[in-house]
Amino acid sequence: MAFTYSAGSLVKARGREWVVLPESEPDLLVLRPLGGSDDDIAAVFPFEPVEEARFAPPEPTDLGDQRAAGLLRTALRVGFRSGAGPFRSLAGIAVEPRAYQLVPLLMALRQKTVRMLISDDVGIGKTIEAGLIASELLAQGEASGLAVLCSPALAEQWQQELRGKFGIDAELVLSSTVSRLERGLDLGQSLFDRYPNVIVSTDFIKSTRHRDDFVRHCPDLVIVDEAHTCVAADDTSASAQSQLRYELLRRVAEDAERHLLLVTATPHSGKESAFRNLLGLVKPELAHVNLESETGRKLLAQHFVARKRADVRQYLTKEDGLADDSLAERTAFPSDRFFKDETYKLSPEYRALLDDAIAYASERVEEAGGQGKREARIAWWSAIALLRSLVSSPAAAAQTLTTRSAAAIAASAEEADKLGAPLNSDAADSDALEGMDVAPGAETDEGPVKSQLAELAELAAQLKGPEKDLKLKALIKHLKALLADGYNPIVFCRYIPTAKYLAEQLANDPETKKRGPLGAKTVVKAVTGELSPQQRIERIEALAAEAGEDAAARRVLIATDCLSEGVNLQHYFDAVVHYDLAWNPTRHDQREGRVDRYGQRRDEVRVITLYGDDNGIDGKVLEVLIKKHRQIKKDLGISVSVPDELSTGVTDAIVEWLLMRGRENEDALFSADAFKVSTAKLDSDWNSAAERERQSRSRFAQRSIHPEEVAREVASIREALGGAGEIRTFVREALGALGAVLRGADGGGRESGDFTAQVGGTPAGLRDALAPVVGAEVVEKDREIPFRGDPAVARGEAALVRTDLVVGALASHVLNAALDTQAEGARPARRCGVITTDAVSTRTTLLLVRYRFHLTLPSRSGERQLVAEDARLLAFEGAPKNGAWLTPEQAAALLEATASENTDPHFGERTMTRILGQLPDINGYLETYGDELAAELDAAHRRVRAASGEIVRGLSVTAQKPADILGAYVYLPAAASVPVGVSA
């Protein structure tokens, strides 16, 4: 027997009620449980008993109080995972985007093939913006697969973000995983055909061996992280690695039907031609169009979004052209970074060692200069390695002095530069930070020279500890001050031996009972490139867990630059100490950006830069590079990269002067001709880059989407799914009614309304639902669960947004308890209620109605049939048959009505019975209203995709009938609530 149920119909099978999904066939029903999620979808065959189900009406004996309607409505809306609006994915993702993060999504939906360059400032949320577009394209059928190209160090973080926030499972394709993945392939099958969603190491896939297979089988949606590293300026000699990456992207972008999202906070990197090359990947004509013209700017505006924090800190306000601030959104970025440059002097012993090392390096460079170019370059890189490691720490110096130089095996001067530069310079666009934190080697020869270096290494090893290493002593002093002020700092070092040395000197050792200088309750751990990316995250989380929730406990993380990109640390740390100066200021900005970003609860992030007053290097780097970079960022509001060759020219001049003249005459460096030339060139080019960036931000500001358009969609989303205030009220009232202990109702943190809850006394069903989300131990030991108004929460905290897992578990429990009159324990939401209140002057009935819609959505892969849900509040005055219907705003206002006096239960039950018996009289109105909603939804889908007529051709939205009345609530004016002879 064939099935005849249409999509959206309600059926009963296997002892429960289900919604029929569009994937159903005459001989197979595909069903989703009523109120359930996509994870519970099941298939039913014709031999199983299936019957049409009618949603059971509310029971008049099961009356709730004044909160019942609001709690049921919110619980229902939180459970929606298939919204009917034009954004198919928003109801099902586990993140609530900020309003400004919807702008790239709106831009993308206006393009038939999405091509975007997303260049918002560091910490604004580019990963979220790219994830929103990806999840929406996949949900709509506009894309069938996804590839994210990124650094291998960021691959696991991308995987976690996509899975945890967007429900997208993606395989990691790295050099370490590809063999395992390939073993599971069928004969002749491509890895990229087997796995539709992948996260791929750019440096792994760019090689010719793997590139061709990837291009042939590449998914139809590609996200490129840190896209600026894949292009180079026309007037510079790009590295071979950069050329390979560009060739890979050029071939991926050649397919005009492929969606491509390029993500970078630094699209210019100081070079206009590099920016043009990047734009050319988005749309070829953008590489050459006149961006000064109105036509050029309009074309660019369709594909390019670049905003500073100041642009989005307050959004959808009257200043943005809106009529009022009702939808205003204020994002809590730290207001500023507090910079402090702290100096230290070398101890006599350290000074003597540095002078000996400079003398040795100077002699070797001079000697090698007469032996040939190859020997000169090897000696040069060995000298830089020796000087940088000595300035870093005794541990790094000892390692460098006993390690052979990477450049020593070079067969030519060019090869020596290729081997020596990555380990000794801090290029902003270095091919990868992985492996760059090892201490470089200085050995180049055997015999007497090696013996001399070994003697210096022994001397360096004797300088460990704050007595002779005054840089360490200064660090301890400044860390104590930060800790005393309640800060939890990250200390960034250049080399692995330095990081391990600092951790050893600063940490407490329980085994030996050695107490570190920072106090018994300060936990210190080091994270370096010796750990895999996943191990780094685990160690950071272990550090946070060990410090615990003790208000007196403090966290100190010692890290190399393996953490300066990608890993977000704002939840655990709020200060940065630059223990070693980077020779490119962009690296400092990257370090600080790990904590100074959205989700940081400190309004002021502190930054301390340690520099040597008398080591001959630090003071000059700080003065010429670091401070200049800070000033440009302060003036513009964003970071502007200094071209690598210019910063290298300055640092080369400093090192050369030091080798030629030593430390004693270092002040004369500023008047030296070579230094003047290099710094003048740096200032000129850097100022030009800053001016270009300023003009670019002004000319190319995001204007293709007006704030009014964003406001309209935000209002629509909040109407359908609920806003932050509704969720906060729901969570507090539901938990309170279920027996939880709440503390901190109106404060605690920068977001008002933060509070904590202990759920040990709540019903077993809720505890069971929360245990997998917050941890069984938290529930069993009745620990506090922090609830935050800010969606960017740390592990173990719950965000007061509908997509949070804790909120979802609570809503599911409340909804199920409301639908099951036999459920054990408290039931805060009910399907009926009779409330006596001063808020009405005549009897008013409020209905909570669930509508189901059947959507036909055209896409590049063909039409998609979908079933979506919506919940609406409808209200009428008087009797159902000839009731006066209220506006949606008036209906919603009834949720705020409070009881002015008690209502007699028997009278309430009789009133409810009478009203429920008369509800069939309003079926015609409910159907008409459903058709109006369907028309509004149809218009919304067309509006969002207005710029691409092909996308909306064939679109349709129809309401499935009948609608379900989930709840009915009668509001009585106080004078009419009690009949004569009946006591209240």
Side-chain angles (χ1 to χ4, degrees), residues 309-324:
R309 290 186 186 184
D311 299 329
V312 299
R313 193 185 298 276
Q314 296 191 55
Y315 190 53
L316 301 186
T317 66
K318 287 192 285 187
E319 292 181 3
D320 295 312
L322 272 65
D324 54 46

Side-chain angles (χ1 to χ4, degrees), residues 104-117 133 137 140 142 259-261 282-283 299-304 704 860 944-948 951:
L105 175 60
L106 288 168
M107 293 171 65
L109 292 180
R110 294 185 175 186
Q111 303 175 30
K112 181 182 177 184
T113 300
V114 178
R115 293 294 179 101
M116 295 276 296
L117 175 56
I133 296 173
L137 293 177
Q140 292 183 7
E142 293 294 330
H259 303 296
L260 182 62
L261 304 177
V282 175
K283 199 172 182 68
L299 179 62
L300 179 62
Q302 297 172 29
H303 303 275
F304 180 50
S704 64
R860 297 196 305 181
V944 167
R945 294 160 180 79
S948 182
I951 293 178

Side-chain angles (χ1 to χ4, degrees), residues 872-941:
R872 294 292 169 140
L873 290 171
L874 304 177
F876 60 87
E877 294 177 342
K881 190 171 185 178
N882 53 7
W885 291 91
L886 305 185
T887 65
E889 293 75 19
Q890 290 171 324
L894 290 173
L895 295 177
E896 305 298 323
T898 57
S900 57
E901 58 184 79
N902 294 333
T903 303
D904 178 74
H906 301 293
F907 174 68
E909 186 178 324
R910 291 198 303 273
T911 301
M912 199 75 248
T913 301
R914 188 166 61 252
I915 291 293
L916 292 175
Q918 297 171 354
L919 286 184
D921 293 339
I922 64 170
N923 285 344
Y925 181 88
L926 296 184
E927 289 188 4
T928 301
Y929 191 80
D931 291 338
E932 291 174 358
L933 287 179
E936 289 176 10
L937 289 168
D938 185 284
H941 280 271

Side-chain angles (χ1 to χ4, degrees), residues 735 739-743 756-759 762 782:
L735 284 175
V741 178
L742 306 179
R743 293 187 178 88
T756 64
Q758 291 172 262
V759 297
T762 61
D782 201 16

Side-chain angles (χ1 to χ4, degrees), residues 616-625 654 666-667 669-670 675:
I617 298 176
D618 282 358
K620 310 302 178 294
V621 172
L622 179 72
E623 191 68 32
V624 177
L625 294 174
I654 294 172
E666 60 185 87
D667 289 339
L669 168 65
F670 286 106
F675 187 78

